[in-house]
Amino acid sequence: MNEFRLKDLLEIKNGRDYKHLNDGSIPVYGSGGLMRYVDESLYDGKSILLPRKGTLSNIQYVNESFWTVDTIYYSIVDEDKADPYFLYNYIKLLDLEHLNSGTGVPSMTFGAYYDVPIILPDLTIQKQIAKVLSDLDAKIEVNNKINQDLEVMTKTIYDYWFVQFDFPDANGKPYKSSGGTMVYNEELKREIPEGWEVKKINDIAKTGSGGTPLKSKKEYYDNGNIPWINSGEVNASFIISAKKFISQLGLEKSSAKLFKKGTILMAMYGATAGQVSLMDIEATTNQAICGINTKDEKLKYYTKFSLEDMYQYLINLSTGSARDNLSQDKIRNLNIVIPEENSISNFHKIIEPNFDKILINLKQNQKLAELRDWLLPMLMNGQVTVGEVESETNQNVNV
């Protein structure tokens, strides 16, 4: 092992303002991640992006032409001493929050980064470990791309059938475009296909909100194994795991409720208000979430899409100056168009396999990420070898 300071391994560079640039294909990164695409690059090649302000834990890696803004540094790695991808993963393991020099917004200086101690194996070993890690990340990225395509496909079908009303008619032709009868609905103030209904969410689903066990009661959380979701986690299509857990006693002694797998969650407060996720686990939630269980299983995915389409309307409905607020009553009383039975059944049959594939990929990615995060320290201290890792990966992860 070789001991260094970070200043021995890379040179840190400042980001710059990008507002004068035109739209293009070159990504612009800030401390929060990708911001936009422009027509000029600041640097081209392998680089570790180190936050200067904001989210100090969001260290990023790029291997392409890019631009960075002034909230994040980019770096030029000395590849004679360090493999850039290995070093990136190494730095991600470090707790750098204690180096924060900001009094309000977290911030980092060149000096704080440069003085970080780094212990590296020989360059050959670094490259071998980096190859294992990058292969795992590449598999995760492939799954992400497949999921993006599947989500676009299913949303396109939903839009075509239930927004444009061109679902297949009795002859297999697009309903509205082929002259299908449309009827004006007084509640919605617009036309919907003949035979379709308008109902309240309360008519088609059971709803409920959660609760938060007292933080002062350790026994409500210690050794807890019941997943507990907060509203900030309602920001993805599916929730397959929880970051926090409560105990059985915490569940019994609070207003938290156990929602079944397949529950649609809608955030009611804060930054994610109006956003929707579908749970693939049994879990409790905090009081800032409304759980929605459709009485008819076939309406589950359709309702999820319909609620997502209401996002802007929901934000306009919300109250409160400091944060956006919805309520269970408002959600229960939302109007939702209910297609006739044949259309909703066919839609469910078509898209359910797509969502099943998305969930398989998400769970596989979770396993791959856990394996990747476990591997680096194990490889670093020699507890496992690269050969053992490759064998274990091939045996236990179907990719």
Side-chain angles (χ1 to χ4, degrees), residues 38 59 79 156 193 200 371-372:
V38 295
I59 295 165
E79 295 192 42
T156 299
K200 305 289 186 185
L371 177 61
R372 178 199 61 204

Side-chain angles (χ1 to χ4, degrees), residues 245-284:
F245 297 83
I246 62 173
S247 66
Q248 182 63 35
L249 187 62
L251 175 62
E252 293 170 359
K253 297 293 185 179
S254 72
S255 57
K257 299 179 183 65
L258 193 61
F259 290 114
K260 68 179 184 178
K261 176 180 175 178
T263 299
I264 300 166
L265 302 183
M266 174 174 281
M268 295 188 289
Y269 314 149
T272 57
Q275 294 192 29
V276 174
S277 295
L278 185 63
M279 281 202 315
D280 194 56
I281 56 173
E282 186 179 64
T284 59

Side-chain angles (χ1 to χ4, degrees), residues 225-230 233 239-246 279 281-285 366 370:
N225 61 359
I226 301 171
W228 184 79
I229 309 294
N230 67 53
E233 295 173 74
I239 292 175
I240 62 170
S241 61
K243 296 177 182 177
K244 295 184 179 180
F245 297 83
I246 62 173
M279 281 202 315
I281 56 173
E282 186 179 64
T284 59
T285 74
Q366 187 178 50
E370 288 171 354

